[in-house]
């Protein structure tokens, strides 16, 4: 299996773990960049923002499509089933409408059959083609059918149908929220195998998944992806770096036990770990508490500004003070 072969190639040694810690404490030593292990308390519980998932927009579009439909949904589904049986050409607009009309698992099963037919007919005409991947994944997101999305995404017969990063990112986010980290890792590996370009969101998701798996294999995968990104000149977001560092620190918790019989490594570990303490890089809060803290309400700052109606300099009403200046 792909995951087994990938994990086999990512067997980290004790030195690798120590090196990771060294990179965190001594920027530029043993690595290509520095990472701060301090994570802002404003980190969010979710990994993707609404403007990426766009679930509300999708649901609003579903309502609009249903209202403008000529005839009933049942008639529309029946006509598409008939076209499949008669091997008739499936049009782009028909598939778009179908994906907006689905409301159940049975409807999604029909959509899957239509997708296979449509892709078989159009897989050689992808230039400038409509991206169905995000649409289907959002449908699965709405109906809690992530296994259907995973199934299609891994199917070699549909290679190219999910050619965009958004599809993979949304699916990984859905699996992450449900605690299905191994499945999320498989989606990540599939994304890499299909040469779909990673975005900043992808790295956040990838490192968060590895952090939750918290194994030597996931640590090595995280380290490898980070090194590849830096070699490509890609800038990793602070959130992605926080998850990567958190994973390293979690493996921090295990490495001393592994190197206890090697005095030189124990001394090096204690030196690095001590430096982390001295520089204030270690907190008593759990990593989950730091990484998954409820975001602060930005409205509170607006309320404070609104309450301050008197100028601190002139002691006049703030509006009059601003006009005078």
């Amino acid at each position: 299996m792909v995951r087994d072969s990938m994990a086999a190639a990512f067997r980290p040694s004790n030195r690798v773990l120590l090196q990771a810690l060294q990179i965190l404490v001594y920027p530029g030593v043993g690595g290509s960049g520095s990472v701060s292990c301090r994570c802002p308390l404003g980190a969010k519980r979710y990994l993707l923002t609404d403007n990426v998932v766009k679930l509300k927009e999708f649901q609003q579009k579903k309502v609009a499509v249903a209202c403008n439909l000529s005839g009933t949904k049942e008639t529309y589904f029946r006509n598409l089933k008939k076209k499949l049986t008669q091997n008739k050409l499936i049009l782009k607009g028909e598939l778009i409408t179908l994906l907006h009309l689905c409301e159940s698992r049975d409807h999604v099963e029909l959509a899957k059959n239509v997708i296979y037919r449509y892709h078989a007919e159009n897989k050689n005409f992808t230039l400038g083609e409509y991206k169905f991947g995000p649409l289907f994944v959002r449908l699965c997101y709405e109906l809690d059918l992530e296994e259907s999305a995973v199934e299609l995404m891994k199917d070699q017969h549909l290679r190219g149908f999910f050619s965009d990063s958004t599809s993979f990112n949304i699916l990984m986010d859905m699996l992450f929220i449900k605690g299905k980290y191994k499945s999320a890792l498989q989606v990540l590996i599939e994304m890499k195998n299909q040469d779909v370009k990673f975005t900043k969101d992808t790295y956040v998701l990838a490192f968060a998944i590895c952090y939750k798996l918290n194994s030597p294999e996931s640590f090595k995968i995280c380290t490898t992806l980070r090194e590849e990104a830096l070699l490509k000149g890609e800038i990793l977001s602070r959130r992605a770096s926080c998850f990567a560092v958190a994973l390293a620190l979690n493996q921090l918790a295990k490495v001393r036990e592994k190197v206890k019989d090697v005095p030189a490594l124990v001394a090096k570990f204690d030196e690095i770990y001590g430096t982390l303490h001295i520089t204030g890089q270690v907190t008593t809060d759990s990593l989950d508490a730091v990484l998954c803290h409820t975001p602060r309400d930005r409205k509170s700052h607006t309320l404070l500004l609104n309450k301050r109606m008197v100028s601190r300099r002139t002691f006049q009403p703030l509006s009059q003070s601003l006009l005078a200046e």
Side-chain angles (χ1 to χ4, degrees):
M1 193 167 67
V2 175
R3 180 169 174 266
D4 293 334
S5 61
M6 196 168 182
F10 292 156
R11 302 281 185 200
S13 63
N14 295 330
R15 290 185 180 276
V16 172
L17 297 177
L18 278 174
Q19 185 183 38
L21 289 174
Q22 196 169 19
I23 293 172
L24 307 181
V25 182
Y26 307 113
V29 179
S32 54
S34 64
V35 181
S36 170
C37 66
R38 290 176 179 171
C39 182
L41 291 180
K44 302 169 183 176
R45 292 187 183 278
Y46 52 85
L47 297 181
L48 291 183
T49 57
D50 291 337
N51 64 346
V52 175
V53 179
K54 295 184 177 178
L55 187 59
K56 291 181 180 179
E57 291 182 22
F58 171 68
Q59 292 171 332
Q60 290 171 354
K61 180 67 174 178
K62 287 186 70 173
V63 174
V65 170
C67 290
N68 294 324
L69 186 66
S70 176
T72 65
K73 291 183 182 180
E74 290 71 21
T75 302
Y76 192 87
F77 293 145
R78 187 165 55 250
N79 289 338
L80 270 183
K81 288 179 182 178
K82 188 176 180 180
K83 291 192 76 170
L84 288 176
T85 304
Q86 297 176 348
N87 290 323
K88 290 186 177 180
L89 189 68
I90 302 295
L91 303 178
K92 178 178 71 174
E94 291 176 325
L95 179 52
I96 293 175
T97 299
L98 173 62
L99 292 175
H100 283 102
L101 292 177
C102 291
E103 294 181 333
S104 68
R105 182 180 293 272
D106 289 340
H107 292 166
V108 173
E109 287 301 314
L110 171 60
K112 287 162 60 176
N113 292 332
V114 175
I115 285 172
Y116 278 107
R117 172 67 61 79
Y118 181 86
H119 186 66
E121 295 168 345
N122 297 277
K123 61 183 176 182
N124 296 324
F125 303 96
T126 57
L127 185 61
E129 186 55 56
Y130 183 88
K131 300 295 184 184
F132 285 98
L135 191 58
F136 179 74
V137 175
R138 288 184 181 109
L139 174 62
C140 293
Y141 199 106
E142 179 192 40
L143 300 179
D144 288 324
L145 295 176
E146 65 277 0
E147 68 278 1
S148 294
V150 173
E151 175 193 344
L152 265 63
M153 202 167 279
K154 294 172 65 176
D155 195 323
Q156 296 300 309
H157 293 95
L158 288 177
R159 180 64 70 96
F161 186 81
F162 300 95
S163 59
D164 58 284
S165 60
T166 303
S167 299
F168 289 89
N169 289 345
I170 294 176
L171 180 54
M172 283 190 286
D173 184 63
M174 176 165 44
L175 292 166
F176 183 91
I177 290 172
K178 295 191 174 186
K180 299 181 178 181
Y181 308 121
K182 291 183 179 179
S183 294
L185 180 61
Q186 291 176 359
V187 172
L188 175 68
I189 294 172
E190 188 62 32
M191 183 177 182
K192 189 169 181 61
N193 289 341
Q194 293 189 25
D195 294 323
V196 178
K197 181 176 174 57
F198 282 22
T199 65
K200 290 183 179 180
D201 286 330
T202 306
Y203 285 108
V204 171
L205 289 156
F207 295 168
I209 290 164
C210 290
Y211 161 73
K212 282 294 187 179
L213 288 171
N214 191 28
S215 66
E217 289 79 12
S218 69
F219 174 73
K220 184 59 179 178
I221 291 172
C222 180
T223 303
T224 301
L225 289 177
R226 178 179 176 273
E227 290 174 352
E228 288 180 356
L230 294 175
L231 285 173
K232 293 177 182 177
E234 298 184 19
I235 300 176
L236 299 177
S237 69
R238 184 166 187 155
R239 285 189 82 196
S241 298
C242 285
F243 277 114
V245 172
L247 174 58
L249 292 176
N250 268 343
Q251 294 293 305
L252 201 175
K254 299 177 181 178
V255 68
R256 198 179 195 286
E257 181 64 23
K258 293 182 178 181
V259 303
K260 64 180 180 180
D261 297 326
V262 185
L265 291 179
V266 171
K268 190 64 177 175
F269 175 87
D270 289 341
E271 176 191 348
I272 295 173
Y273 195 73
T275 304
L276 286 172
H277 273 282
I278 293 172
T279 56
Q281 303 295 308
V282 179
T283 175
T284 56
D285 296 331
S286 69
L287 290 172
D288 269 359
V290 174
L291 288 171
C292 302
H293 194 276
T294 304
R296 291 176 179 175
D297 187 1
R298 293 183 179 180
K299 292 181 179 179
S300 60
H301 299 291
T302 305
L303 290 175
L304 287 174
L305 288 173
N306 289 338
K307 287 181 179 179
R308 189 170 67 84
M309 302 302 293
V310 177
S311 171
R312 291 172 179 166
R313 188 173 63 84
T314 64
F315 299 102
Q316 295 178 358
L318 192 58
S319 58
Q320 294 181 17
S321 177
L322 289 174
L323 287 172
E325 293 176 1

